[in-house]
Amino acid sequence: MGEKVVGFVGLDEVSLELASSLLHSGYAVQAFETSGQLLDDFSKLGGKKCANLNETGQGVSALVILISNVEQIHDLFYGAEGVLKGTAKDVTVIIHSTILPAHIQNLQKILTEDYQMEIVVDMYALKAGSEVSNGKFVVISSGQSESTSRAQPILSAMSEKLIVFEGNIGAGSKSKMVIELLEGIHFVASIEAMSLGVQVGIHPCIIYDIISNAAGNSWVFKNYVPHLLKGNQSAHLLNAFTRNLGIVLDTAKSLVFPLPLLTVAHQQILAGSSHAAKDTEDTALLKVWEMLCGVNIIDAANEEPYNPEELARELSAKSKTVARIGFIGLGAMGFGMATHLVKSNFTVLGFDVYKPTLSRFEKEGGIPGSSPAEVSKDADVLVVMVTNESQAESVLYGDNGAVAALPSGAAIIISSTVSPAFVSQLERRLQSEQKNLKLVDAPVSGGVIKAANGTLTIMASGAEEALEHAGSVISALSEKLYIINGGCGAGSGVKMVNQLLAGVHIASAAEAMAFGARLGLNTRLLFDVIKNSAGTSWMFENRAPHMVENDYTPLSALDIFVKDLGIVSRECSSRRVPLHVSNAAHQLFLSGSASGWGRIDDSAVVKVYETLTGVKVEGKRPALSKESVLSSLPSDWPIDPIQDIIKLTQKNSKTLVVLDDDPTGTQTVHDIDVLTEWCIESLVEQFSKKPKCFFILTNSRSVSSDKATALVTEICSNLSAAAKTVDNAEYTVVLRGDSTLRGHFPEEPDAAVSVTGEVDAWIICPFFLQGGRYTIGDVHYVADSDRLIPAGETEFAKDASFGYKSSNLREWVEEKTGGRIPASSVASISIQLLRKGGPEAVCERLCSLKKGSTCIVNAASDRDMAVFAAGMIQAEMKGKSFLCRTAASFVSARIGIIPKAPLLPSDLGISSYKTGGLIVVGSYVPKTTKQVDELLLQRGHALKRIEVSVDKIAMKSIEEREEEIAKTAETADVYLRSGRDTLVMTSRLLVVGKNASHSLEINGKVSSALVEIVRRITTKPRYILAKGGITSSDLATKALEAKRAKIVGQALAGVPLWQLGPESRHPGVPYIVFPGNVGDNNAVAEVVKSWAHPGRLSTKELLLNADNGGYAVGAFNVYNLEGIQAVVSAAEELRSPAILQIHPSALKQGGVPLVACCISAAKQATVPITVHFDHGSSKQELVEILELGFDSLMVDGSHLSFKENISYTKYISSLAHAQGLLVEAELGRLSGTEDDLTVQDYEAKLTDINQANEFIDATGIDALAVCIGNVHGKYPDSGPNLRLDLLKDLYDLCSKKGVQVVLHGASGLGEDIIKECIKLGVRKFNVNTEVRKAYMESLTSIGKDLVHVMESSKEAMKAVVSEKMLLFGSAGKA
């Protein structure tokens, strides 16, 4: 297949120009056409002639097939000599036609299903209507995403502007129907406007000259009216209109969609065709229209014209000085006009019924008046700028009216839009006042801004004396001033004609956009099509965006056109001029007003259509079902390319240097370094390690565009210098940006290439699976639960600093580059290409891009990303160079990172640290606020919360800011030291600046305050969690002074986990970088819960760990504070678990304070310690014990009969388990003495294995204290005689039932026996006698003071405890 060969089947004038564009773009073009003349013209352009259809399709990459009518389809495609014979299946078929969409869609179905043609799109080419486009071609195309992507290079080469509708084919034909709808309505409205203007007495040429530069202008008016006036347009035009508009109306009828304006226009055109047929089709079109409307336009056009602007210049020279101006009506327009006159050094007295406006006027230097009469007294000129004729009547002749107060000889300027008849009548009434009052009819146009700037368009008429009197005032207010001959009313006549056209054009825009929406067209793209076509108008380009945005903020209220078209309606009736389209438009505005929309923007007339039909014109991309969209995609590429990437990366030897605009970009990698500074020395050190990748944290998203540019330029320059120092180390730069499209684009890529030099292509790839960011069909989506929301419709798109509107990434590129990179020039890698073609297809596509291209990457899975990365590496190895602007997923794919599970504190060895974790929240995206709310809901009981007032730290005095910072830091320090996880969060009310730079300044103040707070916290936290990109960057670099860190993994999918470098304030502390836009509402709570201090383990967990680890835990009887401290100190020193054990006799002496002391010590310990109650032989005593906070207890019923022991133990066991306590019981009975309780040898008995089985099942105990010959206290001189065989049998039984084996009487047992017992399954040894002995012996060496006694006794007991821990094997197991 010829990569640069395009075949044309059929030629016309448009095709010749398209082919010429392709030839100039370097394509070879061949064509077949039955017309010899067209084929010769094609040959002269440099094209190759083909003898038949079949030859045209040979060796081409694309076929452009011209279809003028449906009957051609069979012969062109399916006939014996059809073009498809021998044409490759992967040739791009471009159907160049505007036949009905249904025919085009049917043709596509046959081509793809029956003929297996892979790529089919349609095309409609039109000459751009705007003056700046200079007649260049706009191409409208549609088709499935993969098809339009493949066809895009050829379509772009043929056109000045390419507009692509993705989805069903046929958008070109549909767009043409909408354009023809507008052309038809605008054509009839233009003739109606000329008819009314002539009937009012305005020269047609003057109407044309003024309107073609005013808001009533349209492409049709500007381009048709001159020919009509010259008689150059014949009635043939009506036949074309009749045919085309008939097709549109038939389509609308089939869709059950009303088109009232087009229907009326079509009827008028039919009437014109009927009159023309009676005469001759060569009759001048305007003559036909004169017969319809009864107005002699041709004769009026033949009259000698005059120059209104020249008359205005003459007036300026003759205007008289005005000392004092009265101004009535300080609404939106009036206020701007009046204040401009003040600024122009006129003395202006103003009146308005709305009192606050008078206060504003006074502040601007005007003089407020309390009534029309007051501002008119002694005025040389009075300007009336009220809403309608009724208000004008009231202020002039009502109570305290102006006319009675005006001095003789004064002039009145009526700038309100009123009817010519009202002005003429007013002039007659003023003359009857006998005060020589003069009237100037001077309606204005231009809007609020032009009113304030004195750049309005004014159409003034009146007697010469009146104009000279008021000339300086109307000149001061206008940029364009037209003096209209014909006396008072002529100016309003021109304004009326302008409003007729403006009103019809707004209403027709509504009808067109609503019809387009019903046709299934994307209305944003449709707007772009129409504004470049013959269907455009000034009002369409100004008002249709309001409809697309669904924004009806009243810039000009709908009721204004109820009034203005009402004037048109009255005037046409009184003057006997039929204006069918204008009156139909008036009815639409009346409908809108009746529906309650009169006070919102006039573009809301589109809501009439929306309400009637149910369509939505708003150009918002719909949210989609995530499951449906993802399941509709082709299956992933079957081969995982990660291992190939790893091999290719090793061969490539280039280091990937990721410039991260905030720290969250590290969210998909592990075991990678991140640098927070970029001096050449640091970069040299990093390059010397020959890493496959490292990050540089620029945090550029937190600074202005200029600073970001300077930052990236500096870093790229330093990288270049450092790389040259280290054996010319090779590297590729990636600009890691936000997956929701925020950040400095295109400024940062521009800065990078200014240093690195031009690359073959910019790659745009915001896919990020963990954050739910998908790019499908070139549209970027943000997942929200089970829906995919177009990015442009999310809260991220409304960012005060980096907001945007486009969800389609092609359009986003055009939007962000201000049109420098048109959407039509942006290439893309589709999901279909990734999943069907694999890395080789990606490489081929990238290598085919023109140098300097921009290419977006679609992706919906990590496999897609890996396939693209593999293809890109292949292209790089062929010499191609790329600059990537991507989200985090690309980086891990590009270097072959194999994901690992999220990390927990135990993975980093910090699970036992006792200080609290520090959570700092600075992000303001709504997702963060929801996550914080959920965190407080789930973990509020375990957190200490400190809210920092943004108002105080960003908007108030330095003193208030300092006080807030100091208070927060001190409080947080206290909480962290006490072991409480602490949340420091900014107040959630978002404070937004006056503009983007002011918002960034506020963000900077908030961030710097958080930095200072964390800097002043002296306690080393267990971990730090920073929420938000800017927050996490500033805390790492400024508060914690980290220059580098190791990315060890993720705390949660998409949430990076660093360990801070040795130079930081808290070396090795885990630093969780939590992006503001990642995770569901539970995400932060989930991380905080998993990173919270695990708390005290239960006795059951201690023994289970011991069983799994093959060691035993010592349970040491304690009687006082020294004993407790001895056990805890030994345990912490040896990193051993331990049990503090209280005997009933010790409880009797020490009471609740002894228990509380044990519990407190256990809580404060840095190793697992539990508190156990030993030998509970009294039911009442044990019930009371349950309420004291023990972790476990022993039910001692060994003195009872077997059945009584079961009953007693079962009862206590059920109560204890209800409170989560481990229950230990004894079966058999030990001899010996413990705490003055003695069991004689004849009472002792060994544990019976059969009874043990029944006992465990009946009581549900967790641990069994066995009797195998062990004794309490001292063993006999002959030494212990333990039944180890019985121990083995008992352990086998207990292990099957999940019960741990306990051995009392460990004091006096030899080391070998202890180890053998552990080997045979003993997991808890009770130790009492030896510890008591050490304590008692320590008392014999009397110290100088009681504290010395405490110290020596504690050390003596600690030595014994430590020895036992080492013996039991528990040392080092905490």
Side-chain angles (χ1 to χ4, degrees), residues 567-837:
I567 291 171
V568 171
S569 181
R570 288 201 311 274
E571 288 290 322
C572 79
S573 179
S574 66
R575 296 176 187 274
R576 307 289 182 182
V577 182
L579 304 177
H580 301 79
V581 167
S582 308
N583 279 284
H586 185 219
Q587 293 302 308
L588 288 169
F589 283 105
L590 279 169
S591 298
S593 184
S595 299
W597 307 319
R599 292 181 179 275
I600 61 177
D601 194 72
D602 51 33
S603 56
V605 69
V606 74
K607 292 165 75 70
V608 174
Y609 290 92
E610 291 181 328
T611 303
L612 280 173
T613 65
V615 302
K616 289 295 179 186
V617 171
E618 183 179 5
K620 181 189 290 187
R621 290 182 179 272
L624 305 175
S625 163
K626 180 180 172 182
E627 182 181 358
S628 298
V629 171
L630 296 183
S631 64
S632 70
L633 299 174
S635 299
D636 276 337
W637 179 249
I639 304 166
D640 187 351
I642 287 294
Q643 292 302 323
D644 290 337
I645 290 173
I646 293 171
K647 292 174 184 176
L648 288 170
T649 301
Q650 291 169 347
K651 287 181 184 177
N652 200 10
S653 76
K654 279 188 176 182
T655 296
L656 200 71
V657 182
V658 184
L659 307 192
D660 198 353
D661 70 355
D662 80 357
T664 61
T666 57
Q667 55 208 149
T668 59
V669 300
H670 54 80
D671 302 311
I672 299 289
D673 287 338
V674 56
L675 277 58
T676 63
E677 52 95 32
W678 45 85
C679 66
I680 293 175
E681 292 77 12
S682 294
L683 295 176
V684 167
E685 179 185 346
Q686 199 65 29
F687 276 128
S688 299
K689 298 177 183 178
K690 300 191 181 305
K692 60 182 177 182
C693 174
F694 66 89
F695 280 72
I696 299 175
L697 174 56
T698 69
N699 201 31
S700 58
R701 210 184 303 168
S702 67
V703 299
S704 67
S705 176
D706 290 343
K707 288 181 180 177
T709 297
L711 200 63
V712 172
T713 302
E714 178 190 349
I715 293 171
C716 288
S717 299
N718 288 3
L719 281 169
S720 177
K724 289 174 184 175
T725 305
V726 186
D727 300 326
N728 281 319
E730 291 188 287
Y731 62 93
T732 296
V733 171
V734 171
L735 300 171
R736 203 296 303 186
D738 179 40
S739 63
T740 58
L741 307 180
R742 296 169 300 166
H744 295 290
F745 178 88
E747 293 84 357
E748 289 185 341
D750 284 337
V753 297
S754 72
V755 177
T756 62
E758 187 180 10
V759 293
D760 287 293
W762 286 3
I763 304 296
I764 311 293
C765 181
F767 165 77
F768 175 42
L769 182 66
Q770 292 85 342
R773 320 287 192 252
Y774 301 87
T775 306
I776 302 169
D778 297 343
V779 176
H780 195 53
Y781 295 96
V782 175
D784 182 5
S785 187
D786 59 348
R787 299 184 308 153
L788 293 179
I789 313 296
E793 308 301 332
T794 65
E795 70 262 23
F796 307 112
K798 299 173 179 63
D799 187 277
S801 302
F802 303 111
Y804 56 91
K805 293 182 179 179
S806 305
S807 301
N808 183 292
L809 289 182
R810 295 175 189 263
E811 297 166 14
W812 178 82
V813 170
E814 179 173 320
E815 177 186 345
K816 299 302 285 186
T817 61
R820 189 186 88 197
I821 303 175
S824 59
S825 73
V826 178
S828 74
I829 304 289
S830 68
I831 287 178
Q832 286 77 6
L833 184 143
L834 291 167
R835 298 187 176 188
K836 292 182 178 180

